[in-house]
């Protein structure tokens, strides 16, 4: 790669890692009409990503489309195929994902590539495809079978990835296979906890604090998704624990407080009406002498007070 192009790309990536996409765009834009730059696939990909971060979908679309046309078989990279697919959606996105996934599956058996990076991208491709099948294409005849095939591939290639089991839980919920959904939620949370412990263990050994902090921040959305699933599957204690873990990463986000409160609220109702299948519709009794219930009520009040402070 040209030294100047490499320097510009590196600086733009640094600004992106600092959540300053406008500064990254300012670095990249002067070269957008340069013949060397606008044919360089790495430059086009980072430019497209910056356009995405600055909510310019039309420009991002054009840039990723151009990169894919320059490299139609994903010989240089799969990134722009995934990025363009996320914008397009539907069957067209799946076609782009398939090109990228096929390339990665062919690379996975090679010993001269970074296996961890390939596996991470491959799993991301599987999960992105599943999301499209479960949302935009959920009424298609092939949806359920495609999701099963993709999730099984993901589990096989990376069985310690918690996000795979969270996605598997979503699939099983849609299939009304609630027992497996619950097992997948618990497995996902078990793996997430192991990941947190690993990050905490390595804290003192990490010199790249920016990227390390990003690893924590990137857990927030998966935790939120998993907490919602846990509530849906009546795993209230697990949901409360997950929401509480989000506070440890960023205590300024309001939604986890409400998820924790809602999980506690339903857990209290369940404890007060253990024989009632319609316990969720029962009246909540605040003056309860049960020690566990009193503890949950106090924790819920405290979380609501904290959430209210952030809203004011």
């Amino acid at each position: 790669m040209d030294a100047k192009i490499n320097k510009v790309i590196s600086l733009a990536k640094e600004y992106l890692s600092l959540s300053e996409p406008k500064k990254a765009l300012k670095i990249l834009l002067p070269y957008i009409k340069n013949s060397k730059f606008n044919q360089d696939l790495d430059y086009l990909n980072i430019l497209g990503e910056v356009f995405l971060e600055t909510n310019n979908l039309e420009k991002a679309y054009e840039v990723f489309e151009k990169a894919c046309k320059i490299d139609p078989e994903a010989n240089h990279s799969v990134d722009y195929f995934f990025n363009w697919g996320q914008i397009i959606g539907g069957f067209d996105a799946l076609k782009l994902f398939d090109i990228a996934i096929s390339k990665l599956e062919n690379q996975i058996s090679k010993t001269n590539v970074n296996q961890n990076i390939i596996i991470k991208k491959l799993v991301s491709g599987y999960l992105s495809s599943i999301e499209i099948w479960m949302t935009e294409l959920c009424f298609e005849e092939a949806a359920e079978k495609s999701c099963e095939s993709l999730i099984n591939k993901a589990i096989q290639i990376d069985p310690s990835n918690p996000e795979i089991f969270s996605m598997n839980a979503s699939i099983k919920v849609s299939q009304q296979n609630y027992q497996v959904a619950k097992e997948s939620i618990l497995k996902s949370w078990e793996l997430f906890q192991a990941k947190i412990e690993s990050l905490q263990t390595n804290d003192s050994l990490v010199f790249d604090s920016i990227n390390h902090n990003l690893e924590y921040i990137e857990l927030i959305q998966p935790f939120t998704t998993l907490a919602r699933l846990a509530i849906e599957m009546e795993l209230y204690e697990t949901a409360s624990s997950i929401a509480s873990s989000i506070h440890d990463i960023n205590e300024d986000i309001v939604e986890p407080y409400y998820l924790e409160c809602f999980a506690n609220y339903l857990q209290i109702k369940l404890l007060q009406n253990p024989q009632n299948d319609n316990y969720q519709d029962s009246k909540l009794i605040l003056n309860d002498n049960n020690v566990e219930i009193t503890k949950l009520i106090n924790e819920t009040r405290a979380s609501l007070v904290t959430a209210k402070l952030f809203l004011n």
Side-chain angles (χ1 to χ4, degrees):
M1 182 188 291
D2 184 282
K4 187 174 182 180
I5 297 176
N6 188 44
K7 184 178 180 180
V8 170
I9 292 173
S10 297
L11 189 55
K13 285 182 176 180
E14 185 177 342
Y15 279 126
L16 265 189
S17 71
L18 294 169
S19 299
E20 296 189 51
K22 289 183 179 180
K23 289 186 177 180
L25 188 59
K26 190 175 180 180
I27 293 295
L28 295 168
L29 280 180
Y31 304 97
I32 198 167
K33 293 183 179 180
N34 183 290
S35 58
K36 281 189 177 180
F37 279 80
N38 64 28
Q39 293 296 312
D40 185 273
L41 291 166
D42 294 318
Y43 170 79
L44 290 173
N45 191 60
I46 188 67
L47 179 63
E49 289 179 355
V50 171
F51 277 137
L52 279 180
E53 290 294 323
T54 53
N55 297 315
N56 194 333
L57 289 182
E58 185 177 348
K59 287 291 186 183
Y61 183 104
E62 292 174 2
V63 170
F64 291 134
E65 180 183 25
K66 181 175 183 178
C68 289
K69 286 183 176 180
I70 293 173
D71 181 27
E73 295 181 359
N75 290 321
H76 180 75
S77 174
V78 298
D79 294 345
Y80 25 87
F81 284 87
F82 285 135
N83 287 328
W84 192 23
Q86 292 286 4
I87 298 173
I88 294 176
F91 282 114
D92 288 336
L94 291 178
K95 290 177 183 177
L96 292 169
F97 292 165
D98 284 346
I99 292 171
I101 286 170
S102 295
K103 177 62 66 174
L104 292 170
E105 287 176 338
N106 288 333
Q107 289 178 347
I108 201 70
S109 60
K110 297 179 181 179
T111 57
N112 61 333
V113 294
N114 189 318
Q115 295 287 306
N116 291 333
I117 292 175
I118 300 299
I119 289 172
K120 185 177 180 179
K121 289 184 178 182
L122 190 50
V123 168
S124 177
Y126 290 146
L127 298 186
S128 295
S129 298
I130 291 171
E131 285 177 4
I132 289 177
W133 279 115
M134 291 187 67
T135 52
E136 301 172 56
L137 305 177
C138 62
F139 294 113
E140 295 292 331
E141 186 178 346
E144 183 174 351
K145 186 176 180 180
S146 297
C147 287
E148 281 294 326
S149 174
L150 289 162
I151 200 67
N152 288 335
K153 284 182 178 182
I155 292 172
Q156 183 178 4
I157 200 171
D158 193 6
S160 62
N161 187 322
E163 293 188 55
I164 294 174
F165 288 94
S166 179
M167 181 63 80
N168 191 46
S170 293
I171 294 170
K172 300 311 176 189
V173 169
S174 70
Q175 296 171 341
Q176 298 184 337
N177 189 345
Y178 299 132
Q179 183 56 41
V180 176
K182 289 180 180 180
E183 291 169 2
S184 294
I185 290 167
L186 295 173
K187 179 66 174 179
S188 177
W189 182 228
E190 177 190 329
L191 292 171
F192 269 128
Q193 287 176 300
K195 186 171 183 177
I196 294 171
E197 288 177 11
S198 176
L199 287 172
Q200 291 171 340
T201 301
N202 293 330
D203 272 347
S204 60
L205 303 176
V206 173
F207 298 97
D208 188 352
S209 59
I210 292 173
N211 288 332
H212 193 56
N213 289 336
L214 281 174
E215 288 188 81
Y216 281 107
I217 294 169
E218 287 171 354
L219 292 173
I220 293 173
Q221 187 54 53
F223 279 15
T224 303
T225 299
L226 191 61
R228 291 179 190 145
L229 280 169
I231 290 173
E232 187 175 355
M233 287 294 97
E234 302 180 326
L235 297 171
Y236 303 129
E237 290 184 45
T238 300
S240 182
S241 296
I242 297 168
S244 179
S245 294
I246 300 174
H247 307 328
D248 296 336
I249 299 171
N250 187 341
E251 62 180 13
D252 297 338
I253 304 174
V254 174
E255 184 178 1
Y257 290 100
Y258 284 106
L259 289 173
E260 183 178 10
C261 291
F262 189 46
N264 288 346
Y265 169 75
L266 293 174
Q267 177 70 6
I268 292 166
K269 283 193 170 188
L270 178 60
L271 290 170
Q272 290 178 339
N273 304 274
Q275 306 302 322
N276 186 355
D277 291 339
N278 298 317
Y279 68 90
Q280 294 183 358
D281 298 326
S282 63
K283 185 177 180 181
L284 185 72
I285 303 171
L286 291 177
N287 298 320
D288 197 302
N289 294 324
N290 182 291
V291 175
E292 184 179 358
I293 291 175
T294 301
K295 181 174 179 288
L296 284 170
I297 290 172
N298 290 335
E299 288 176 354
T300 303
R301 282 172 173 160
S303 291
L304 285 172
V305 169
T306 304
K308 186 177 179 180
L309 289 174
F310 287 120
L311 286 174
N312 292 337

